[in-house]
C-alpha cells in the first residue's frame, strides 16, 4: 500500500516537473520577446523619441529590456530548479516570479499615468519643436524625426498644416517658396510643398499630435495585453512551483 502511494507521489512529482519545465520554456521565450520589443522601441522609433522633451519614453524602453533580461534569467533558474529538484532554488524562483508580477502591475499603472502626461507634453511641446527647430542649424535629428513622423503617420503639422505658417524655416531661402515641408506631401518630391491643397498634402483633423497619441495608445494596449498574458503565465507558474515544492517535501518526509 505504501509502495503504491509512493509511486503515485513520484508520478505526480514527475508530471509537475514536466509542466513546470514547459512553463519555463514559454516564460523564457516571453522574456526574449519583451527584450526584443524594448530594443525595437529604441532602434525603430528613436526618431520619435527625440521629439519628446522628457526621457520617460526612452527610459520605458530600457526598463523593458531590463525586465526581459530578468525574465530570461528567471526562466533559466526555473529550469535548473526543476531539473535538479532543489527546494531552495524553487523558493528563489517563486520569489522572483512574485516580484516580477508585482513590477508588472506597477509598470501598468505607470504606463497609464505616463500616457496622460504624454498627451499634455505633446500638446505643449510638439508644435514648438516643429515650427522652431525644423531645418535649423544643429537640429538635423529633429528635422529627420519630423519628416519621418509626417510620412509614417500621414499627417502635416502639430495641430494642422497651418502650423507651418509660423515655421522659422518658412522665412529662409531653404524653404524656396514652400508652404509646408515636402514630407507633408502624399507623394513626396523635391519642392512639392509649394502647394498645400488637400489633394497634395495630408490634411488630418487634430494633426500629428492626434496621430502620435493614437500610435502610442495602440502600442500601450499591445504591451498591456502582452503583460497580462505573461502575468497569467506567471500565476500558473507560481501554482506549479508551490505544488512541486510540496511534493518534494512530502517525498523527503
Amino acid at each position: 500500500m505504501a509502495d503504491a502511494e509512493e509511486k503515485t507521489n513520484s508520478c505526480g512529482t514527475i508530471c509537475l516537473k514536466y509542466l513546470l519545465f514547459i512553463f519555463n520554456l514559454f516564460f523564457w521565450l516571453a522574456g526574449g520577446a519583451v527584450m526584443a520589443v524594448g530594443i525595437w522601441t529604441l532602434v525603430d522609433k528613436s526618431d520619435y523619441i527625440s521629439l519628446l522633451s522628457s526621457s520617460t519614453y526612452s527610459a520605458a524602453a530600457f526598463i523593458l529590456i531590463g525586465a526581459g533580461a530578468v525574465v530570461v534569467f528567471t526562466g533559466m533558474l526555473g529550469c535548473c530548479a526543476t531539473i535538479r529538484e532543489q527546494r531552495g532554488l524553487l523558493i528563489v524562483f517563486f520569489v522572483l516570479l512574485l516580484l516580477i508580477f508585482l513590477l508588472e502591475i506597477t509598470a501598468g499603472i505607470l504606463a497609464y499615468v505616463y500616457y496622460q502626461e504624454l498627451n499634455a507634453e505633446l500638446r505643449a511641446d510638439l508644435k514648438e519643436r516643429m515650427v522652431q527647430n525644423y531645418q535649423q542649424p544643429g537640429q538635423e535629428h529633429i528635422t529627420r524625426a519630423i519628416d519621418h513622423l509626417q510620412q509614417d503617420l500621414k499627417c502635416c503639422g502639430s495641430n494642422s498644416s497651418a502650423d507651418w505658417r509660423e515655421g522659422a524655416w518658412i522665412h529662409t531661402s531653404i524653404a524656396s517658396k514652400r508652404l509646408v515641408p515636402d514630407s507633408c506631401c502624399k507623394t513626396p518630391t523635391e519642392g512639392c510643398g509649394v502647394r498645400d491643397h488637400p489633394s497634395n498634402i495630408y490634411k488630418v483633423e487634430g494633426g500629428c499630435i492626434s496621430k502620435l497619441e493614437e500610435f502610442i495608445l495602440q502600442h500601450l494596449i499591445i504591451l498591456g495585453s502582452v503583460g497580462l498574458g505573461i502575468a497569467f503565465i506567471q500565476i500558473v507558474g507560481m501554482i506549479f512551483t508551490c505544488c512541486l515544492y510540496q511534493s518534494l517535501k512530502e517525498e523527503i518526509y
Side-chain angles (χ1 to χ4, degrees):
M1 188 73 175
D3 290 341
E5 186 177 347
E6 183 178 345
K7 187 175 181 181
T8 302
N9 288 338
S10 179
C11 288
T13 301
I14 292 171
C15 288
L16 283 171
K17 280 178 63 177
Y18 278 115
L19 287 172
L20 193 55
F21 189 83
I22 292 171
F23 158 78
N24 281 302
L25 177 62
F26 281 110
F27 195 56
W28 185 82
L29 291 173
V34 170
M35 285 182 66
V37 169
I39 294 170
W40 170 77
T41 301
L42 284 177
V43 175
D44 191 50
K45 303 303 173 187
S46 57
D47 285 339
Y48 294 175
I49 295 172
S50 65
L51 295 175
L52 304 177
S53 58
S54 73
S55 58
T56 310
Y57 191 76
S58 55
F62 283 115
I63 290 172
L64 277 177
I65 295 171
V70 172
V71 169
V72 169
F73 170 76
T74 304
M76 293 173 65
L77 180 65
C79 287
C80 292
T82 305
I83 293 171
R84 296 186 178 186
E85 298 184 2
Q86 292 186 356
R87 291 189 298 158
L89 283 177
L90 284 173
I91 292 173
V92 174
F93 177 62
F94 178 86
V95 170
L96 285 174
L97 282 180
L98 182 60
L99 286 175
I100 294 171
F101 179 73
L102 294 174
L103 283 172
E104 284 174 345
I105 294 175
T106 304
I109 295 171
L110 289 176
Y112 175 78
V113 173
Y114 170 65
Y115 176 68
Q116 304 303 316
E117 292 180 353
L118 181 62
N119 285 348
E121 179 187 323
L122 283 174
R123 295 187 181 280
D125 299 337
L126 187 59
K127 180 178 178 180
E128 182 180 350
R129 282 178 175 262
M130 291 180 82
V131 300
Q132 298 298 328
N133 298 332
Y134 187 77
Q135 291 288 10
Q136 298 303 301
Q139 300 294 332
E140 289 79 10
H141 64 294
I142 296 292
T143 300
R144 184 172 58 252
I146 292 171
D147 285 336
H148 285 173
L149 177 69
Q150 295 190 141
Q151 274 297 296
D152 292 348
L153 302 186
K154 302 185 188 315
C155 58
C156 183
S158 55
N159 295 292
S160 71
S161 59
D163 291 337
W164 286 113
R165 296 171 188 169
E166 305 172 28
W169 72 286
I170 284 287
H171 307 292
T172 65
S173 58
I174 301 174
S176 300
K177 297 183 179 180
R178 291 180 178 88
L179 299 176
V180 294
D182 293 340
S183 57
C184 282
C185 299
K186 296 178 180 178
T187 306
T189 55
E190 184 68 27
C192 66
V194 295
R195 291 181 61 246
D196 61 354
H197 192 270
S199 63
N200 184 50
I201 67 170
Y202 294 113
K203 293 275 190 177
V204 180
E205 185 177 351
C208 289
I209 288 178
S210 62
K211 283 285 199 174
L212 191 53
E213 286 176 352
E214 182 182 337
F215 171 83
I216 292 172
L217 179 60
Q218 287 174 349
H219 278 67
L220 286 176
I221 290 173
I222 293 171
L223 290 175
S225 301
V226 171
L228 284 174
I230 294 175
F232 174 76
I233 294 174
Q234 285 176 253
I235 292 172
V236 174
M238 286 188 282
I239 294 172
F240 286 159
T241 303
C242 289
C243 292
L244 181 58
Y245 178 86
Q246 188 63 32
S247 179
L248 291 174
K249 187 177 179 180
E250 288 176 357
E251 284 186 2
I252 292 174
Y253 295 104

